[in-house]
Amino acid sequence: MRTAYVVAMLGTCLMSVMPAGAQRRHRDPLTPVQIDKIREAGIYPQERLKLYADYVNEHMEGIKQLTVRAHTPAWGSKMDGELQDLTALMDELGSNLDQYADRKADLRKELKSLTEDTQRWATTLRALPSAPAYDLSRKDAIASASDLADDAAESLKDQTEYFKEHKDQSGQQRVEPN
């Protein structure tokens, strides 16, 4: 019994000192230039949401282009990575949407476009052929697109009602707390 415990502890210790290169590499779906643009747009909700939507559209185009290539093991791995990046971007867009909605920024124009975009993204993702190499990432991306579509539609509805009652705040970037 004691020997099994020592072996288990030794295995745990060896895993904790594993070199960083052997661990899973963190993917960043944005380039350094795109990250800088997002940071610069941080105080402008409409611009920031538009940038994220543009970057998701770019990734969707990349995925569409991958579908016409030869289906090799490397292709499957590339598609899996692209779908993971796409999901991360859509999730980040959703987080930003939640943050700006709490500030009562007027995002109706962007939300209308986003509602249309998310439906197009979900349709494109559902049309992808299923393949074991990327099927889990595809399902995650579809779920993320669906969640984002629901959030955008709900936010648009909430904002339409809010700004109907608060016409003097229409077009604002954010409401400052009193």
Side-chain angles (χ1 to χ4, degrees):
M1 182 73 166
R2 187 166 176 3
T3 306
Y5 176 76
V6 171
V7 170
M9 290 304 294
L10 181 58
T12 302
C13 290
L14 287 174
M15 291 297 289
S16 66
V17 294
M18 188 183 304
Q23 297 173 1
R24 186 176 171 105
R25 185 177 80 85
H26 172 71
R27 297 179 57 96
D28 196 340
L30 297 173
T31 67
V33 171
Q34 290 171 328
I35 291 170
D36 287 343
K37 286 181 179 180
I38 292 288
R39 284 187 185 135
E40 290 171 9
I43 61 171
Y44 304 106
Q46 293 88 345
E47 185 178 333
R48 190 168 176 143
L49 292 179
K50 185 177 179 330
L51 283 171
Y52 270 113
D54 288 347
Y55 299 149
V56 171
N57 279 321
E58 288 175 16
H59 278 272
M60 288 301 296
E61 284 303 314
I63 288 169
K64 284 181 189 177
Q65 290 173 5
L66 275 175
T67 61
V68 297
R69 292 188 181 169
H71 296 201
T72 65
W75 172 86
S77 178
K78 176 78 172 163
M79 181 67 86
D80 184 61
E82 288 296 321
L83 287 166
Q84 288 178 30
D85 289 349
L86 180 72
T87 301
L89 277 173
M90 288 189 293
D91 290 346
E92 187 62 28
L93 176 54
S95 295
N96 277 262
L97 188 61
D98 292 342
Q99 179 183 13
Y100 290 132
D102 291 343
R103 294 180 184 178
K104 300 296 185 201
D106 188 354
L107 303 172
R108 291 175 289 178
K109 180 180 176 187
E110 290 73 20
L111 289 169
K112 187 174 188 296
S113 294
L114 186 59
T115 302
E116 295 165 1
D117 286 344
T118 54
Q119 290 179 11
R120 189 178 70 253
W121 299 336
T123 300
T124 301
L125 291 167
R126 285 186 193 102
L128 287 176
S130 182
Y134 62 82
D135 203 40
L136 181 61
S137 295
R138 178 180 163 268
K139 288 177 183 177
D140 288 346
I142 290 169
S144 184
S146 178
D147 290 346
L148 185 57
D150 293 345
D151 291 347
E154 183 68 26
S155 293
L156 180 59
K157 179 181 163 238
D158 292 347
Q159 287 218 335
T160 301
E161 291 172 10
Y162 178 83
F163 289 109
K164 191 180 287 185
E165 293 176 22
H166 302 92
K167 292 179 182 175
D168 59 320
Q169 296 176 10
S170 182
Q172 69 187 0
Q173 295 286 330
R174 71 185 283 155
V175 172
E176 296 295 333
N178 293 333

